[in-house]
């Protein structure tokens, strides 16, 4: 229709319009076709239109043997128009691809800046890379020191050809082996290995692949692999596009690893401080506290052996025994403040019940917890509750307080609320600053809402699994 329609129109205008001007009826169609579907189809229509114009419209009219020069002029005009429109269309497509790539990189940078967990970050890298490349299959792998790779730490599309986080031995001359040796992108059109990994890829129908190294801190961390189940090769420039995402992924991994190392370092500092407090508490309990208790008992025994008529000495001994008892109680309070050994022995639930019973203001306690938590987490939750109640008693002028402890999914949440004067601010110092440092050290979050005159609500949240990992030294990187 792109040629027949203009030809019929030209036939009706042949008696009223100069013959060579009739070729212009083909131009709108060529412009539309070349601008919409590209230069190849535009050139096809231009040549077809020139043939039709040369055979039927250029002198001699309606002859299959047109004059050569006029026909070449027609052909040149139509081809030039098709080329210009097609080239413009290619430039527009190129600009669109660049804009899409930049948008994808911005979305990925936003996810990274938000501190997404590693698994989500890796999947985001694979997703954005796959969208830009126009492929449905992206998989990220990580190299291990023992000569293996961890496959599918992140993926997009049909990335389940290998189980997530599965470990495979690196086989010679495979794409992972070549990237490891060359530290550069690698293309392969077939799977040639004979080991378990190559066998699994062949069974999944994997053929054409492009792999790009992911570098972290100057060291090869892993690979991003785009693959197809057809032998059709990836277009030129694929490696450059993948490298942009791989570079951003490397920066994100380095930042995330630094954050993880910082959290682990903070956790070790808190653990070391708690261990020091535990040792001091134990030394006080086994040393000075026991001696005070022995002193009090000795004084009581001495009182019992006094003869009659020594009331003044008995009063003095009774005063000494009383002072020893008070010193023992104060020392117990100091030791308990240094390290709540009751948390380790009896658990967080029982210790919180005891804490609220000794509070100077009424406390409503709700606990929805059916298991023990990691010890560093239980100790921190106790300190937060204890410090919060201390601040309420000293500063809030509150008549009552509420403590709520619950587990929501993989997160434990402690909420402390009072009906006092509000206005609490961590920037003003006080124990709230110390609480914030402790929460951050365990990868948690502390929110304080304290509008003046409307009381204070303190909410602390901790990821349980992350603290299990920290206590065992596990790493996601």
């Amino acid at each position: 229709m792109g040629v027949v329609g203009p030809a019929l129109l030209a036939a009706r205008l042949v008696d009223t319009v100069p013959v060579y001007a009739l070729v212009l009826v083909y131009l709108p169609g060529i412009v539309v076709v070349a601008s919409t579907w590209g230069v190849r189809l535009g050139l096809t229509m231009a040549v077809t239109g020139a043939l039709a114009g040369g055979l039927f419209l250029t002198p001699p009219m309606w002859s299959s043997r047109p004059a050569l020069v006029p026909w070449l002029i027609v052909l040149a005009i139509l081809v030039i128009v098709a080329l210009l429109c097609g080239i413009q269309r290619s430039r527009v497509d190129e600009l669109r691809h660049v804009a899409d790539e930049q948008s994808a990189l911005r979305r990925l940078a936003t996810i990274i800046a938000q501190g997404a967990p590693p698994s989500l970050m890796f999947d985001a890298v694979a997703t954005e890379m796959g969208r830009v490349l126009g492929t449905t299959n992206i998989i990220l792998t990580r190299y291990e020191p023992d000569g293996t790779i961890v496959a599918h730490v992140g993926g997009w599309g049909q990335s389940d050809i290998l189980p997530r986080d599965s470990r495979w031995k690196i086989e010679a001359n495979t794409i992972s082996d070549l990237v490891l040796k060359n530290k550069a992108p690698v293309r392969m059109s077939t799977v040639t290995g004979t080991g378990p990994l190559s066998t699994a890829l062949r069974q999944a129908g994997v053929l054409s692949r492009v792999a790009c190294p992911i570098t972290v801190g100057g060291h090869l961390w892993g690979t991003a692999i785009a693959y197809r189940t057809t032998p059709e090769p990836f277009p030129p420039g694929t490696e450059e596009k993948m490298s942009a995402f791989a570079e951003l992924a490397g920066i994100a991994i380095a930042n995330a690893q630094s954050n993880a190392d910082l959290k682990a370092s903070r956790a070790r500092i808190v653990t070391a401080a708690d261990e020091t407090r535990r040792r001091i508490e134990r030394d006080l309990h086994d040393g000075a506290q026991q001696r005070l208790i022995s002193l009090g008992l000795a004084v009581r025994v001495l009182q019992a052996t006094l003869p009659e008529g020594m009331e003044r000495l008995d009063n003095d001994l009774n005063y000494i025994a009383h002072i020893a008892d008070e010193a023992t109680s104060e020392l117990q309070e100091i030791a308990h403040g240094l390290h709540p050994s009751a948390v380790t022995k009896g658990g967080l639930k029982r210790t919180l019940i005891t804490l609220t019973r000794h509070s100077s203001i009424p406390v409503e306690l709700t606990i929805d917890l059916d298991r023990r938590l990691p010890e560093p987490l239980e100790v921190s939750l106790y300190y937060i509750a204890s410090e919060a109640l201390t601040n309420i008693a000293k500063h809030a002028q509150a008549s009552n307080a509420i403590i709520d402890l619950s587990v929501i999914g993989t997160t434990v949440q402690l909420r402390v609320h009072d009906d006092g004067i509000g206005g609490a601010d961590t920037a003003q110092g006080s124990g709230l600053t110390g609480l914030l440092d402790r929460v951050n050290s365990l990868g948690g979050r502390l929110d304080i809402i304290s509008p003046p005159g409307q009381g204070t609500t303190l909410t602390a949240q901790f990821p349980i699994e992350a603290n299990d990992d920290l206590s065992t030294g596990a790493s996601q990187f």
Side-chain angles (χ1 to χ4, degrees):
M1 288 297 294
V3 175
V4 175
L8 294 176
L9 177 60
R12 295 179 63 88
L13 298 175
V14 70
D15 295 329
T16 59
V17 177
V19 172
Y20 293 107
L22 292 176
V23 297
L24 298 176
V25 300
Y26 290 99
L27 293 181
I30 293 174
V31 170
V32 171
V33 171
S35 300
T36 305
W37 290 285
V39 67
R40 182 177 300 179
L41 195 56
L43 285 175
T44 300
M45 185 175 178
V47 173
T48 305
L51 288 173
L55 291 175
F56 305 111
L57 298 178
T58 58
M61 299 298 295
W62 305 101
S63 169
S64 60
R65 299 168 63 183
L68 181 59
V69 174
W71 181 79
L72 289 177
I73 295 174
V74 171
L75 176 62
I77 293 174
L78 298 184
V79 167
I80 290 173
V81 171
L83 284 173
L84 291 176
C85 293
I87 292 173
Q88 182 64 25
R89 190 306 176 85
S90 299
R91 290 178 177 174
V92 171
D93 288 344
E94 183 179 351
L95 291 174
R96 184 181 296 113
H97 288 317
V98 171
D100 291 342
E101 181 176 345
Q102 294 302 315
S103 297
L105 291 171
R106 282 195 298 269
R107 288 193 297 270
L108 183 57
T110 300
I111 293 175
I112 294 170
Q114 291 173 346
S119 59
L120 179 59
M121 181 183 65
F122 295 148
D123 286 339
V125 171
T127 299
E128 298 298 347
M129 187 182 297
R131 287 174 176 170
V132 169
L133 296 179
T135 182
T136 57
N137 309 303
I138 299 287
I139 190 169
L140 303 185
T141 66
R142 183 180 71 239
Y143 290 108
E144 293 295 315
D146 60 357
T148 61
I149 60 169
V150 177
H152 197 176
V153 295
W156 184 67
Q158 299 174 359
S159 58
D160 55 353
I161 56 170
L162 299 174
R164 183 175 284 271
D165 295 329
S166 58
R167 193 179 292 263
W168 303 82
K169 182 177 177 58
I170 299 177
E171 302 168 12
N173 297 321
T174 58
I175 200 164
S176 296
D177 180 51
L178 294 177
V179 171
L180 181 61
K181 291 177 179 177
N182 301 325
K183 307 295 190 295
V186 175
R187 282 178 177 251
M188 298 190 76
S189 58
T190 58
V191 179
T192 58
T194 58
L197 177 57
S198 297
T199 301
L201 294 177
R202 270 195 301 272
Q203 291 175 348
V206 174
L207 292 174
S208 181
R209 286 159 293 154
V210 176
C212 185
I214 299 176
T215 303
V216 177
H219 300 283
L220 184 62
W221 180 89
T223 57
I225 303 174
Y227 71 90
R228 288 174 174 169
T229 55
T230 62
E232 178 186 359
F234 284 87
T238 298
E239 290 87 346
E240 288 74 11
K241 292 180 180 179
M242 292 180 66
S243 295
F245 288 92
E247 182 178 355
L248 188 57
I251 295 173
I253 293 168
N255 290 340
Q257 188 167 349
S258 297
N259 291 336
D261 292 343
L262 178 60
K263 289 181 180 179
S265 177
R266 286 177 173 175
R268 287 193 296 271
I269 292 173
V270 171
T271 301
D274 289 343
E275 186 60 34
T276 301
R277 290 179 174 184
R278 187 202 306 270
R279 186 177 66 253
I280 295 174
E281 184 267 342
R282 184 173 59 248
D283 292 344
L284 288 175
H285 179 272
D286 297 338
Q289 185 176 330
Q290 293 300 321
R291 291 178 182 176
L292 284 173
I293 293 174
S294 298
L295 175 62
L297 291 175
V299 171
R300 295 300 183 188
V301 170
L302 182 60
Q303 276 186 289
T305 60
L306 286 177
E308 294 183 1
M310 304 187 69
E311 289 80 5
R312 182 175 179 180
L313 179 59
D314 182 69
N315 291 334
D316 291 342
L317 291 174
N318 188 62
Y319 176 75
I320 293 173
H322 178 71
I323 293 297
D325 290 341
E326 286 187 345
T328 301
S329 298
E330 291 179 3
L331 195 59
Q332 287 176 339
E333 291 294 327
I334 293 173
H336 188 70
L338 287 172
H339 182 81
S341 58
V343 174
T344 304
K345 297 176 182 178
L348 179 62
K349 184 176 181 179
R350 182 180 301 177
T351 311
L352 287 179
I353 292 174
T354 302
L355 177 68
T356 55
R357 286 176 178 173
H358 288 83
S359 174
S360 59
I361 61 172
V363 180
E364 178 184 338
L365 177 64
T366 303
I367 300 177
D368 183 12
L369 186 67
D370 58 359
R371 62 187 177 96
R372 291 294 299 268
L373 300 172
E375 182 178 344
L377 197 51
E378 288 193 334
V379 171
S380 293
L381 289 168
Y382 170 81
Y383 276 131
I384 292 171
S386 177
E387 183 66 28
L389 288 181
T390 300
N391 285 338
I392 292 172
K394 289 183 177 179
H395 309 294
Q397 303 177 26
S399 59
N400 61 75
I402 298 173
I403 296 180
D404 179 75
L405 178 67
S406 61
V407 174
I408 305 173
T410 59
T411 301
V412 60
Q413 175 177 285
L414 175 68
R415 178 177 173 271
V416 183
H417 173 75
D418 68 72
D419 61 353
I421 60 175
D425 185 4
T426 56
Q428 299 294 327
S430 78
L432 293 178
T433 303
L435 294 185
L436 186 59
D437 292 339
R438 177 175 285 272
V439 170
N440 289 336
S441 72
L442 297 179
R445 174 178 176 178
L446 183 66
D447 294 319
I448 299 176
I449 301 175
S450 187
Q454 300 182 36
T456 299
T457 300
L458 179 151
T459 304
Q461 295 180 325
F462 295 92
I464 300 175
E465 294 180 356
N467 284 282
D468 282 333
D469 290 340
L470 285 174
S471 63
T472 58
S475 174
Q476 303 181 65
F477 299 95

